[in-house]
């Protein structure tokens, strides 16, 4: 059996309102992921009018951006997009932990699903392969968002 998650090929997201919040750190990677997420959503029937997008400086700000989309834009699911690359200090660990706990707390508090769209990479090469490259996660995040958004309706 092929490795990885298997998505329902018949996923149909028409009528689902999707929020996307994108971090500008490591922008080459986050913008490639954003494009693939948007393509993955529209390939599964989500219209451009139903995609609400905002950007924030870095991954640490994604949780607040997601909160704003939920509170002001009536979205049924949020896809935060960030790329963390480990540096020489402890920033990576603190941000990754804060953000993953923040998403979990927010989705439980608001009862709106939030996808874990943050890459936590040890090197820039790893980040590029998983964003602009052939192991990009963008389409999987789009499919997961639609599945969870439909489940929450
Ligand atoms: N934001 C990211 O999205 N990815 C990173 O790899 C990243 N690395 C950072 C490293 C340092 C040393 C600092 C100071 C910030 C970094 N940030 C990164 C930005 C962070 O998410 C946030 O925007 C800023 O700390 C301001 O709150």
């Amino acid at each position: 059996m092929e490795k990885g998650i298997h998505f329902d090929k018949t996923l149909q997201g028409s009528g689902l309102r999707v929020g996307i919040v994108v971090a500008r750190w490591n922008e080459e990677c986050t913008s490639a992921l954003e494009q693939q997420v948007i393509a993955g959503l529209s390939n599964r029937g989500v219209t451009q009018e139903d995609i609400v997008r905002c950007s924030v400086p870095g991954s640490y700000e994604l949780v607040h951006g997601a909160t704003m989309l939920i509170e002001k834009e009536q979205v049924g699911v949020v896809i935060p997009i960030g790329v963390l690359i480990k540096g020489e200090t402890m920033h990576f660990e603190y941000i990754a932990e804060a953000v993953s706990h923040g998403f979990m707390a927010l989705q439980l508090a608001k009862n709106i699903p939030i996808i874990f769209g943050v890459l936590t990479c040890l090197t820039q090469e790893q980040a590029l392969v998983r964003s602009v490259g052939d192991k990009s996660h963008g389409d999987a995040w789009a499919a997961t968002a639609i599945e969870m958004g439909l489940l929450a309706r």
Side-chain angles (χ1 to χ4, degrees):
M1 171 95 113
E2 199 190 325
K3 203 175 150 218
I5 330 164
H6 297 270
F7 298 104
D8 181 352
K9 299 268 188 306
T10 64
L11 269 179
Q12 240 303 329
S14 55
L16 185 65
R17 199 161 158 78
V18 181
I20 301 177
V21 49
V22 188
R24 295 191 298 273
W25 265 69
N26 301 311
E27 197 158 23
E28 181 185 358
C29 299
T30 59
S31 63
L33 286 162
E34 179 185 1
Q35 281 170 27
Q36 286 156 12
V37 162
I38 290 172
L41 292 172
S42 51
N43 288 340
R44 295 177 180 87
V46 179
T47 61
Q48 294 299 311
E49 299 75 54
D50 279 332
I51 300 176
V52 193
R53 185 243 190 230
C54 72
S55 78
V56 292
S59 290
Y60 191 72
E61 287 74 40
L62 285 171
V63 181
H64 192 72
T67 307
M68 291 300 101
L69 289 175
I70 291 170
E71 291 191 349
K72 295 183 197 281
E73 299 289 351
Q74 293 84 41
V75 295
V77 61
V78 181
I79 308 174
I81 300 175
V83 173
L84 286 163
I85 301 177
K86 191 170 169 60
E88 290 173 5
T89 67
M90 291 293 288
H91 255 79
F92 175 88
E93 284 79 359
Y94 285 117
I95 297 172
E97 188 171 357
V99 169
S100 55
H101 288 171
F103 291 156
M104 183 56 77
L106 182 62
Q107 66 177 335
L108 296 177
K110 302 284 186 189
N111 202 22
I112 298 286
I114 301 177
I115 303 316
F116 191 73
V118 177
L119 300 182
T120 53
C121 299
L122 301 180
T123 64
Q124 195 182 17
E125 291 68 45
Q126 285 184 351
L128 287 167
V129 170
R130 289 160 180 76
S131 55
V132 299
D134 56 0
K135 286 188 183 156
S136 174
H137 291 239
D139 189 62
W141 292 344
T144 304
I146 292 174
E147 185 171 342
M148 294 309 296
L150 296 177
L151 188 66
R153 276 222 270 225

